[in-house]
Amino acid sequence: MHPLLPSLAAVCLYAGAATYQGLRLTQRSTPDKRLLALLGVLALLFHGGSLFLQLHNVQGLTLDFFNAASLIAYAVIALTLLACLRIPAENLLLLLFPLGGLTVLAAEFLPSGTIRPIDEHPGILAHILFSILAYGMLTIAVFQSILLLLQDHQLKHKHPSGLIKNFPPLQTMESLLFGFLWAGWLLLSLSLLSGALFLDDLFAQHLVHKTILSCFAWVVFAVLLWGRHQLGWRGHKAIRWTLAGFCLLMLAYFGSKLVREFILHI
């Protein structure tokens, strides 16, 4: 089966869910959570089907730049939908659904660089899984920090828009942010640990930049979480540290893949 049909179905469902949620929030009414979840789950099913067809290879996993972006978006949306079962994280979906649709389109239609299939050794696959989940959870944290910054700015200037009025209180938004950060940091720790255990040389020439930048990101998030626990860091300081750590992490992953696939062709 060709991945085109499930890709187009996923894009349509993501677009429909985002449009429905956006219209409801613009009208200052609460979207139906069950309908939103249903659309999101259906979109994920088709997204997962297209990913399986694009990634599956008899020699291993074909994880090129755009497939990786699509896989991370899939993990982010899936984790957010799961979080919505316990905490009010629905506002994040308004940004994540379009992101999911864009990455599906990119993986399907944009040309990718040259990349060798990944060996399906269980330890290496565990490292890849932890890495993707860590990037996904920390991506949620970044979206949450941007929404928190926007909400704080509009409340301070006393002109919250219709969208902001539907957000949970600032304290709840901040608690969500640090919940995502703790989960992402723990997953990143497991990613680095599994990489050290199962990769032949974590500091090989094609991995050294990714490893060093990921370690720097790990330190940044660790300092942020320590500052929150010991010094009560919050607000703009927490947001700045979150964005700094995320930028290092994205440079480590996507920066290295861009250089390898489109410049060095390895």
Side-chain angles (χ1 to χ4, degrees), residues 131 134-135 138-139 141-142 180-182 184-189 191-192 208-226 238 240-254:
S131 298
Y135 296 142
L138 292 170
T139 300
V142 169
F180 292 144
L181 286 171
W182 269 111
W185 181 76
L186 291 173
L187 287 165
L188 181 59
S189 302
S191 170
L192 292 172
V208 62
H209 296 91
K210 179 180 179 180
T211 301
I212 291 174
L213 288 171
S214 296
C215 289
F216 277 134
W218 184 91
V219 171
V220 168
F221 287 120
V223 171
L224 170 58
L225 293 170
W226 175 86
R240 286 195 296 269
W241 279 83
T242 300
L243 294 175
F246 182 77
C247 287
L248 286 170
L249 205 58
M250 290 300 98
L251 281 175
Y253 191 73
F254 286 110

Side-chain angles (χ1 to χ4, degrees), residues 7 13 17 20 41 47-48 50 74 88 121 129 142 160-161 181 193 202-203 215 230 241 257:
S7 295
L13 286 164
Y20 165 71
V41 170
H47 189 168
S50 67
Y74 178 90
H121 184 277
L129 176 62
V142 169
S161 65
L181 286 171
L193 178 61
L202 200 59
F203 290 92
C215 289
Q230 297 294 328
W241 279 83
K257 289 187 76 67

